Amino acid sequence: MDTATINRTMPNWYDTRRLCYERSMRQRILIVEDDSDLREWMAQLLAGQGFDTEVASNGQAALDKALANPPRVIVLDMVMPVMDGWTFRAHQRYCPTLATIPVVILSGVPIVHLHNVGAAAALQKPVHDDQLIATIRALC
C-alpha cells in the first residue's frame, strides 16, 4: 500500500485527538425535571448552545447520575416524585463529591419559599430561553 492510500484510509490522529479534546471541554449540565416535555426542551436548548446534557426525572436518579459523573451545573425542579428537590439538595449539600456543584432551581414554587435551599440561582417557571441560558453560562 502506498502512502497516499494509507493517508486516505486511516484517520488523522491529530483531528481525532482535537475532536475528543473539544468534546471534553463542553460543560455538562444535569437537568432534573419530572415533566418530560420540559426536560427534553431544556436538553435540546442547552445542547444547541454547546452544552452536553444529561437528564433525570427525579432526585434519586439525579443523585445516581451526578455521583457517577459529576456535572458542571445542575438544573433542579423542586416538586417531583420519588425524591423531591429539597431532599435532593439535602443529600447534595452533605456529599463531598457533589456539594460544590452549583444548582439552578427552576420551579413553579414561589421564590420566597426557596431561600433556605442554598441554590446558586432560582428561576420561576415558565422561564424564557435567554434567561435560562444566561444563568447557566454565568455559572460555567
Side-chain angles (χ1 to χ4, degrees):
M1 208 184 284
D2 65 358
T3 306
T5 305
I6 291 173
N7 287 339
R8 280 193 312 269
T9 59
M10 295 189 68
N12 182 326
W13 174 249
Y14 173 76
D15 288 343
T16 304
R17 267 191 16 215
R18 187 184 75 225
L19 180 63
C20 291
Y21 176 74
E22 287 172 358
R23 177 136 173 92
S24 69
M25 293 302 294
R26 292 171 52 139
Q27 301 291 342
R28 204 167 64 73
I29 311 299
L30 176 58
I31 300 165
V32 189
E33 170 64 56
D34 62 322
D35 180 318
S36 61
D37 291 336
L38 182 55
R39 187 173 59 234
E40 292 308 313
W41 169 79
M42 283 190 283
Q44 289 178 5
L45 174 69
L46 295 174
Q49 293 294 314
F51 295 102
D52 283 337
T53 60
E54 187 169 10
V55 296
S57 60
N58 63 68
Q60 184 59 59
L63 274 178
D64 296 342
K65 289 180 180 196
L67 284 168
N69 189 7
R72 178 66 186 95
V73 174
I74 298 170
V75 178
L76 180 67
D77 185 19
M78 296 307 285
V79 180
M80 298 176 288
V82 182
M83 179 188 288
D84 64 23
W86 288 278
T87 307
F88 173 86
R89 282 294 291 144
H91 285 284
Q92 182 200 9
R93 290 168 113 173
Y94 293 104
C95 176
T97 305
L98 305 178
T100 60
I101 298 171
V103 173
V104 175
I105 301 294
L106 178 59
S107 184
V109 174
I111 301 292
V112 296
H113 296 293
L114 301 174
H115 289 295
N116 294 333
V117 177
L123 302 173
Q124 190 76 43
K125 288 180 183 175
V127 67
H128 192 272
D129 304 18
D130 295 338
Q131 186 181 20
L132 179 61
I133 293 164
T135 302
I136 291 173
R137 284 201 190 285
L139 297 170
C140 286

